[in-house]
Amino acid sequence: MHSVEPGVPPPAGPAWPNFIERFSDAYAAELEAFVRVAQGSEPSPCTAYDGIQALRIAEAANRSLHDHRPVRLEEIPK
């Protein structure tokens, strides 16, 4: 694992120790909320704008992977 910031050393030790244990409750809560929304028993807290922003972030991440450089969200068309 490494940082894209110049001069920042990699973290010591294994990346993301205890990741599953630390976030399992949050993932379970998110899945339960998703199911309630999918079943129609709860309205989605996300707007269409939220969805578009998520797609733009995913596109920036994909470009970053392929271009081997940081990609700013401003580079992704709205």
Side-chain angles (χ1 to χ4, degrees):
M1 186 161 124
H2 65 279
S3 176
V4 296
E5 297 180 59
V8 175
W16 316 108
N18 305 322
F19 180 81
I20 297 298
E21 294 83 9
R22 289 176 57 203
F23 296 102
S24 63
D25 290 343
Y27 283 120
E30 185 66 24
L31 181 57
E32 289 169 7
F34 172 80
V35 169
R36 289 191 304 273
V37 170
Q39 290 174 331
S41 61
E42 185 175 298
S44 175
C46 299
T47 65
Y49 178 79
D50 295 332
I52 291 169
Q53 291 302 91
L55 287 173
R56 291 178 69 223
I57 291 167
E59 176 63 22
N62 192 45
R63 284 190 193 182
S64 178
L65 174 68
H66 291 289
D67 294 353
H68 304 285
R69 67 178 181 87
V71 174
R72 298 187 59 81
L73 194 54
E74 293 80 20
E75 297 179 49
I76 308 302
K78 292 183 179 182

